[in-house]
Amino acid sequence: MTTATQVTPLLKLTDRINRIEPSATLAVVAEADKLRQQGIDVVDFGAGEPHLATPQHIKDAAIAAIQGNFTKYTPVGGTAELRDAIVHRHAVDFDSDYRREETVASVGGKHALFNAVQVLVDHGDEVILPVPYWVSFKDIVRYAGGNCVLLETDEAQGFRVTAEMIERLVTPRTRLIILNSPANPSGAVMSPEDMTEVVRLAHERGIWVISDECYVYLNYTPKRFSVGSLREYREHMVIVGSLSKTYAMTGWRLGYALGPAPVLSAMQKLQSQSTSNPTSIVQKAAVTALKGPQQCVADMRAEYINLRDHVVNGLRSIPGVKCTLPEGAFYAYPNVSAFFGRRGIGSASDLAGKLLREAHVATVPGEGFGTSDHIRVSYATSVAELDRGLERMRKFLGSL
Ligand SMILES: Cc1ncc(COP(=O)(O)O)c(C=O)c1O
């Protein structure tokens, strides 16, 4: 019999949900929001999204889709029109030759990545992950039951990842290598030669590669590159892409994967039992984004290069701050270890915490990305906002 004094049994959640942590990036956004709600003016270098608006012609396509009642379920992996547009865009820009059955549209690149890992990684499988890594890679692998094998890189070498470095970590249990170029958080870009060697090694060993190319259009080196052009190794590759950063569409949630048909069909099966199709209206907007004029992409890239130069010069001019030159994405990853040991600061988390609470500048501490000497500064904001934040950082760090 239940009595009023009986204690509620402890909530028992699954082992797999207890294996993962909430995203460190979203935690910073939440803390900055709290300060803002208290009326505090926070300069936000934490958010990982473009400050720019979605181009007008893409917004118009979504409005037309609503007015035209394109508001019903679609095929789980996206309409044929959208899948053809994904394949076409990739073929034109990166010389790939995927077919409609070799692509799937998902609710953001993160969703495509999650589904790909769930169908490729089993309990006890090893997944090689270069450090620093994007926060979600680790948790998505763990959720699938895989073990992350971290590949340490050298900041002095621009966080370079090579096939030889990966080869040293390969064991009979290695199932997957996750590449991310341009990288979040470091902005590092792998050379086409290094990427080719890694993909070749994986192919020869029968190891999968997931290439997260969500920032592939924000590559500031002279040659942007996708592993999709390496057609001879396609058997072991899944490419993850996204419209979020390319077309400033983070909130719309449209990503995709390209890869061998059996893997893509398994990903669709999983998607059919969770989200079903990405929003029908967003699919129409995505077709317009992918098939329409691409000048907006070039314009945004040019703007990010200016912002990158501005923020890196600013950061490097602060005594004690060291910063590699990011060659892509929209993050700088300064090394702030020179300040450890001052005013009780022992780590990047301590420093980012004080920077937020005392100087009101939001950044993301490196620990979430696997390094403890850095903070991530997102420069997807205006020059004026960059200057305001840099000034606050200069004052705060100078006072330590
Ligand atoms: C490296 C990387 N991959 C994937 C994503 C996912 O982007 P989305 O789900 O918005 O397409 C992000 C977003 O920040 C990212 O930084």
Side-chain angles (χ1 to χ4, degrees):
M1 200 182 81
T2 311
T3 65
T5 52
Q6 204 167 358
V7 180
T8 317
L10 275 182
L11 182 62
K12 164 104 176 66
L13 299 176
T14 59
D15 171 52
R16 63 183 176 281
I17 195 65
N18 287 327
R19 279 200 296 268
I20 65 172
E21 290 161 17
S23 158
T25 349
L26 297 182
V28 173
V29 173
E31 196 173 346
D33 265 355
K34 241 194 234 161
L35 291 178
R36 261 193 223 103
Q37 278 162 26
Q38 293 163 24
I40 294 170
D41 161 41
V42 176
V43 175
D44 192 359
F45 291 163
E49 63 178 340
H51 58 305
L52 304 163
T54 306
Q56 191 59 44
H57 65 289
I58 301 175
K59 295 196 275 196
D60 289 343
I63 293 163
I66 296 175
Q67 299 296 8
N69 294 319
F70 193 73
T71 52
K72 308 235 185 296
Y73 291 132
T74 75
V76 167
T79 59
E81 183 191 29
L82 173 58
R83 292 163 82 186
D84 288 348
I86 292 168
V87 161
H88 170 75
R89 181 81 271 139
H90 210 268
V92 169
D93 292 343
F94 301 108
D95 191 33
S96 59
D97 66 343
Y98 289 100
R99 291 169 294 128
R100 186 190 293 167
E101 321 68 272
E102 295 173 310
T103 190
V104 61
S106 301
V107 187
K110 190 187 270 189
H111 185 214
L113 177 80
F114 184 90
N115 288 349
V117 171
Q118 294 304 315
V119 308
L120 291 177
V121 174
D122 240 327
H123 280 270
D125 284 345
E126 292 179 1
V127 177
I128 298 180
L129 204 54
V131 178
Y133 46 77
W134 177 49
V135 273
S136 294
F137 292 145
K138 181 173 54 68
D139 293 289
I140 288 175
V141 167
R142 282 189 182 159
Y143 193 74
N147 296 323
C148 295
V149 176
L150 301 182
L151 172 68
E152 295 300 332
T153 59
D154 184 359
E155 184 176 5
Q157 301 289 317
F159 303 104
R160 187 176 173 200
V161 175
T162 66
E164 296 82 66
M165 291 161 71
I166 287 185
E167 193 160 22
R168 277 181 236 132
L169 298 183
V170 171
T171 75
R173 299 238 56 172
T174 306
R175 174 73 171 162
L176 171 69
I177 300 163
I178 301 183
L179 299 180
N180 174 216
S181 173
N184 177 4
S186 65
V189 170
M190 288 181 75
S191 70
E193 294 73 25
D194 282 348
M195 275 191 121
T196 305
E197 286 310 308
V198 172
V199 171
R200 189 213 311 269
L201 167 79
H203 180 69
E204 285 170 2
R205 300 292 187 90
I207 297 168
W208 285 94
V209 171
I210 292 181
S211 184
D212 179 338
E213 302 185 359
C214 287
Y215 296 93
V216 76
Y217 290 93
L218 302 181
N219 177 337
Y220 311 133
T221 68
K223 192 173 184 323
R224 72 178 179 209
F225 179 78
S226 163
V227 293
S229 65
L230 306 172
R231 301 175 183 194
E232 63 273 42
Y233 306 131
R234 59 191 293 150
E235 199 188 322
H236 290 107
M237 290 183 327
V238 176
I239 295 171
V240 171
S242 173
L243 273 64
S244 286
K245 325 284 168 158
T246 313
Y247 300 100
M249 291 177 69
T250 44
W252 297 67
R253 311 310 301 134
L254 204 294
Y256 56 88
L258 295 160
V263 176
L264 273 281
S265 137
M267 289 170 63
Q268 272 203 67
K269 179 166 73 168
L270 178 57
Q271 192 161 305
S272 78
Q273 299 298 5
S274 53
T275 58
S276 294
N277 61 273
T279 306
S280 58
I281 300 152
V282 173
Q283 291 191 51
K284 281 287 186 195
V287 169
T288 297
L290 294 164
K291 288 177 54 177
Q294 299 299 300
Q295 188 56 40
C296 54
V297 179
D299 291 346
M300 291 190 227
R301 178 177 177 275
E303 176 158 352
Y304 289 128
I305 293 176
N306 279 337
L307 294 169
R308 186 267 315 254
D309 292 344
H310 196 78
V311 80
V312 170
N313 288 338
L315 288 167
R316 285 179 174 171
S317 73
I318 301 174
V321 175
K322 282 190 290 178
C323 189
T324 51
L325 184 71
E327 291 188 308
F330 39 63
Y331 310 104
Y333 203 51
N335 184 316
V336 290
S337 58
F339 301 96
F340 297 174
R342 304 189 198 171
R343 273 208 16 227
I345 294 172
S347 64
S349 284
D350 291 344
L351 189 129
K354 279 196 193 299
L355 197 56
L356 178 59
R357 287 184 287 272
E358 297 180 25
H360 304 147
V361 179
T363 60
V364 185
E367 283 90 341
F369 309 108
T371 72
S372 51
D373 288 348
H374 306 85
I375 54 173
R376 191 190 75 175
V377 173
S378 170
Y379 57 81
T381 186
S382 64
V383 168
E385 202 61 1
L386 281 181
D387 283 341
R388 252 162 40 91
L390 285 165
E391 206 33 54
R392 289 183 188 188
M393 287 176 77
R394 181 187 313 283
K395 260 204 193 137
F396 171 75
L397 294 171
S399 74
L400 292 176

